[in-house]
Amino acid sequence: MTPQSIALNRFGLGYRRGDALPQYPRSWLKQQIGGYEPSPQALAGRAVDGEEVARVIADTAEFRAMRNAAREDDDNPDAAAMMSKERQQDVRRGLIADIALRGRLALETDTPFMERMVHFWSNHFAVSADKAQLPSLVGPYEFGAIRLHVTGYFSDLLKAASLHPAMLAYLDQWQSQGPNSRAAATRERRGRPERGLNENLGREILELHTLGVEGGYTQEDVRELARALTGWTMQGLPAAARATPQPGGAAFFDYIHEPGTRTVMGRSYRDTGTGQALAILDDLAVHPSTARFVATKLARHFAGDTPPESLVDRLAKAFSESGGHLPKVYEALIDAPETWVEEPVKFRQPWEWAVGLLRAGGEMKLADRQFAIMLRELGQQAWRPGSPAGWDDREASWAGANALYRRVEAAERVANLLRLEDVRDLAEAMFPGSLSDTTRQSVRWAESNEMGFALLLVSPEMMRR
């Protein structure tokens, strides 16, 4: 691969039809860091702030109350089922629209390297639309929380993601209650069952978002962080009406917060309400284990499933010396020789393959629903990673025979839909100086432009970056 092709495909999201090729690949990538627009025109009119998130949650709570009331209506026994069906259809339509919007952002962006970073961090702080209430929150989560912080400090990204209502709902944090809180005492006096401490979010922050599984934390650190996080809930819930609103649609309810000083990773944090968890997150964000963990994931994403240790060292150093300033880490990534090796180092995941396909086609003729269906058929539904660990970033998870066959089918459908007439020139632009003779001849000798484009989409150059 030439530097131009590496910049377009390994760092970016693939060549966008009609664009000029980058003359100075490294400079082109670095300029994208400063030129990144967190709220581009495609997001205009899509409310994603905390007020909107609270409205979505309140709307869901209101619907559930109405549905529960309908279940008790003996004169209309089918009313509740009908309400649920209509509600599910509305939610599904909204999710599909958000998935299409995500695709459109990737297609239209002038800063594809940074758009890739949005997808990377969204997967690092994974939530899933599989869980109830999440389908309406995953879009606002990525659009309103992740996007805003990919060019800032990791600590701000960590706090925005971990305490967003989507994450609080996904990991059941909003149901966690301090064992010695006033809420717990009240429930005990009234003879109601204990709600208990939920450790999900605390564990995933330590294991998946900051230190990593080998980062040196203990089970007691998990419990202490979980205790510090009690009280964090979501605006819009009836039970949180008296809670104090927080940024992004979260809320803090001191009534259910576990009182007392907490100790995490050997450091003590006095009880300052919201400030206690925030202070812990700030320290976790700059911990040496976090620097190493984040550096390893970034290196794997850009330099191969088994990334060079020298690159991990280089990125961890940039992370630590900058206090987790992400642009400094991106610059180190761009400057690193390990990310510019000529051989392809990564197998494209279905999402990035589909985005590359759209960018090569030059416009999003796929209807919203078709795009979402294609992703499902390719095995990587947007915002449905299946676990808090996110989608796996290794080839073994994506290069199976059935998965490849589905890409062939999708390539044929898209090629027939777009009916491009300049496939030969397009192939050279997509992989400047890097197109193999075999692929070039396959495209040239194809019986039609459609077949040529389909062959290009399933070529080795398109499968790997």
Side-chain angles (χ1 to χ4, degrees), residues 31-161:
Q31 288 169 0
Q32 293 182 38
I33 300 173
Y36 168 72
E37 172 54 66
S39 301
Q41 183 61 34
L43 271 176
R46 178 67 173 92
V48 295
D49 59 8
E51 186 175 340
E52 168 65 8
V53 169
R55 188 199 63 76
V56 169
I57 296 168
D59 180 63
T60 301
E62 182 180 3
F63 162 75
R64 289 178 176 174
M66 294 173 60
R67 182 194 57 191
N68 292 340
R71 284 173 175 167
E72 298 176 359
D73 185 354
D74 295 334
D75 295 333
N76 191 358
D78 298 329
M82 184 61 69
M83 288 175 63
S84 293
K85 182 179 179 181
E86 292 176 351
R87 175 77 179 181
Q88 289 171 0
Q89 291 173 340
D90 288 343
V91 169
R92 189 179 302 117
R93 278 193 289 270
L95 176 61
I96 289 172
D98 277 350
I99 292 172
L101 177 55
R102 190 187 200 223
R104 193 168 297 114
L105 288 165
L107 168 63
E108 297 177 353
T109 182
D110 293 325
T111 56
F113 169 53
M114 294 310 301
E115 201 67 25
R116 175 180 288 281
M117 295 316 306
V118 171
H119 304 156
F120 175 87
W121 290 118
S122 184
N123 192 55
H124 180 81
F125 295 103
V127 297
S128 176
D130 285 331
K131 193 159 187 173
Q133 201 170 56
L134 266 291
S136 299
L137 293 177
V138 288
Y141 172 69
E142 181 172 300
F143 302 149
I146 301 294
R147 293 192 68 89
L148 295 183
H149 297 286
V150 298
T151 52
Y153 282 87
F154 180 74
S155 58
D156 294 328
L157 177 59
L158 171 65
K159 289 181 286 190

Side-chain angles (χ1 to χ4, degrees), residues 137-432:
L137 293 177
V138 288
Y141 172 69
E142 181 172 300
F143 302 149
I146 301 294
R147 293 192 68 89
L148 295 183
H149 297 286
V150 298
T151 52
Y153 282 87
F154 180 74
S155 58
D156 294 328
L157 177 59
L158 171 65
K159 289 181 286 190
S162 301
L163 301 175
H164 190 276
M167 188 68 79
L168 299 176
Y170 180 47
L171 296 176
D172 299 319
Q173 178 60 38
W174 65 282
Q175 295 179 313
S176 184
Q177 179 176 275
N180 299 298
S181 66
R182 287 177 286 149
T186 300
R187 293 179 73 88
E188 184 177 5
R189 281 200 307 273
R190 295 176 178 174
R192 300 174 64 181
E194 183 180 349
R195 289 182 63 178
L197 181 70
N198 189 302
E199 300 177 0
N200 291 348
L201 180 57
R203 178 176 295 102
E204 305 307 8
I205 286 174
L206 293 170
E207 179 177 328
L208 301 176
H209 302 159
T210 59
L211 308 179
V213 68
E214 298 177 352
Y217 67 89
T218 66
Q219 179 57 30
E220 186 55 23
D221 290 319
V222 172
R223 293 195 189 96
E224 281 288 82
L225 179 53
R227 292 178 184 117
L229 287 165
T230 51
W232 283 91
T233 184
M234 305 179 288
Q235 295 179 42
L237 290 176
R242 289 179 292 168
T244 304
Q246 302 296 319
F252 184 76
F253 204 174
D254 188 62
Y255 182 63
I256 60 176
H257 177 64
E258 176 72 358
T261 297
R262 307 268 72 87
T263 300
V264 177
M265 298 297 289
R267 185 168 295 185
S268 295
Y269 301 86
R270 62 188 180 88
D271 188 359
T272 55
T274 56
Q276 187 176 56
L278 295 174
I280 297 172
L281 293 178
D282 277 336
D283 285 347
L284 290 174
V286 295
H287 193 282
S289 293
T290 299
R292 193 80 190 167
F293 182 60
V294 169
T296 302
K297 289 190 71 172
L298 279 167
R300 181 180 299 124
H301 189 71
F302 287 95
D305 291 359
T306 306
E309 201 65 19
S310 58
L311 178 60
V312 176
D313 293 341
R314 195 187 308 274
L315 298 180
K317 183 172 184 285
F319 188 103
S320 294
E321 290 184 348
S322 67
H325 191 225
L326 296 176
K328 292 294 185 185
V329 182
Y330 304 152
E331 289 176 358
L333 191 66
I334 295 168
D335 288 334
E338 295 91 341
T339 56
W340 293 90
V341 296
E342 294 182 1
E343 298 78 16
V345 293
K346 290 295 291 186
F347 190 83
R348 275 182 158 138
Q349 295 182 25
W351 164 261
E352 58 181 320
W353 181 82
V355 168
L357 173 158
L358 292 177
R359 288 176 62 84
E363 59 180 306
M364 195 165 175
K365 288 186 176 179
L366 296 170
D368 291 359
R369 184 171 177 77
Q370 287 177 301
F371 184 57
I373 290 173
M374 181 172 71
L375 291 170
R376 185 184 66 195
E377 291 176 346
L378 292 173
Q380 192 176 29
Q381 296 186 71
W383 296 318
R384 290 185 187 274
S387 89
W391 296 105
D392 187 35
D393 200 10
R394 296 174 176 83
E395 178 172 342
S397 296
W398 305 109
N402 185 54
L404 296 179
Y405 177 71
R406 290 184 180 279
R407 291 194 192 192
V408 172
E409 289 184 319
E412 291 176 346
R413 285 198 303 274
V414 172
N416 287 327
L417 178 67
L418 295 180
R419 295 189 177 282
L420 304 178
E421 296 181 353
D422 58 347
V423 178
R424 296 177 186 177
D425 292 338
L426 179 61
E428 301 291 346
M430 288 170 64
F431 309 103

